[in-house]
Amino acid sequence: MSEHPLRPTRRAVLAGTLGALGALAAAGPVARAADRLPPIGGAAPPADWSRAVIDSTMKRYTPASIGGWGYTLGLYLYGQYLFYKRTGEKKYLDYIVAWYDRFITDSGISNSFTNLDSMRSCQMLPLLFAETGRKKYKTAADQLRKRFPAYPRTSDGGMFHATSKVGQLWGDGAYMAQPFLALYGAAFDDGGYCFEESAKNLVVYFSHLREPAKGLLYHAYDEDGSESWASGPGHHSKYHWARAIGWFGMAAIDILEVLPADHPRRAALIDIVRFLAAGYQRYQDAATGRWYQVVDRGGDAKNWLETSASSMYTFTMARGVQRGYLPASYQAVADRGYAGVLRKVSVGSDGLTNITDICEGTNVGDLSYYYGRGRKTNDFHGLGSFLIMNEQYAH
C-alpha cells in the first residue's frame, strides 16, 4: 500500500474540471435544459470546490449547531478531514474536533450501538487519536470494537442492519460499520479479527444483494423472508436504489485501502468493485453523466437523477482505476460522473455553495416510495459524498 492508512496524503490529480466537462459534452445526447443553466447567482466557480463547500457549511453551522451524533455528519466530517489532510489548515481539523468533543469524554462515548448507522461517525476516532494523541478517542473506539463480537448476525455472519431488524442486511449498512472495523484493525494491531470480519461482511452482504444480470445490488435482504418486501425468491427487496449501491462501493474501496495485500479475501473485494463498476458504466445517464434514484429505470417519468449516489459511484471508479482494480477505460466513466455532479454544485447570490438533488434518508420501499423521496439541497448525504469524490480529484 502506498499510503499509511492513518496519514492519507494528497489524492492524485486524475482530471481537471474543464477536461471532465469536455468529456461530458462529448459523451452523447444533449443534456436536459436544467443541466445547461449557469450557476445559481451567476457567480464564477471557485478555484477549489471542496474549500467552497466546507467554508459555506462552516458559515451556516457551528460545531454546536450542525447536528447531533449520526452517520450523515460522520460522512460529512470525514470528507472535511480529507480536505484538511490535503491543505494542512488546522481550523478545519479544529472544527471536526469540536463536534466530536460534544460526544466523546475521557470515559469514551455513551452509546449502546444497537444499529450500524450509529457506528459510522466512529470512523474518525482512530484518525483523531492519530492527529491529537488524546486517549479518549481510542477509548471510544475501543468501546465500539468490543461491541462487535456480540452484535447479532445472520446464520452466515452478516451483521443485522439494526438489532431491531432481525435477519436484515441493508446495502447501506456495509459502509456504516465495516470501514471502521478495518481501520481499527490497522491502527491498533487488531487485524486478525478486524480485517477478516469487515471483509467477510461485505462478501456475505454481496452474496444476498447482487443481481448478476444487471451488475447492481438490491437495497436489502431478509433472512427468513418475513418482511413484505422480501417475499420473493432470494428474500431480497425488489429495486435497485442508487445510494445503497454507492455506500457499498465506497465500503469495498475503504476496506481495500487498509486490508493487507496478502489477505485471502482481498481478491473477493476487488471482484466486488469490478462488478459494481460494470453496473455503474451500464446505467450512467449519457446526457448528464449522473445516475438515477432507481438505477435501472431511467425511462420512468417519476424517476430522477440523484447527486449523492453519483458522487459515490464516481469516487469508487476513480479510486478503483488509481489502485489498479479497474481497467483504465473506467476513468472516462468516472470523469463523466464528476462533470455531471459538478453541474449540481453552484454558488448562490449570498456567496455560499449549494448542492442540489440529494435524496433524503431512505428506508426500504416500493417504486413510488423511492421516487417520492425528498430532493434536498445541501443535505449531508450529498455534501459528504461530494467531498470524498472531490478530494479524489484533488486540486
Side-chain angles (χ1 to χ4, degrees), residues 79 114 166 185 284 289 369 391:
T114 59
V166 177
Q284 185 178 38
Y369 171 79
E391 287 306 297

Side-chain angles (χ1 to χ4, degrees), residues 7 54 58 77 80-81 83-85 87-100 124 127-128 130-132 134 137:
R7 297 288 180 183
I54 293 168
M58 290 172 63
L77 292 170
Q80 180 163 322
Y81 173 76
F83 175 74
Y84 156 72
K85 292 305 293 184
T87 65
E89 296 178 42
K90 190 171 180 293
K91 67 178 181 179
Y92 297 107
L93 178 64
D94 290 344
Y95 185 97
I96 297 169
V97 168
W99 185 82
Y100 274 88
M124 280 298 305
L127 300 171
L128 290 176
E131 293 289 346
T132 69
R134 296 175 190 168
Y137 299 126

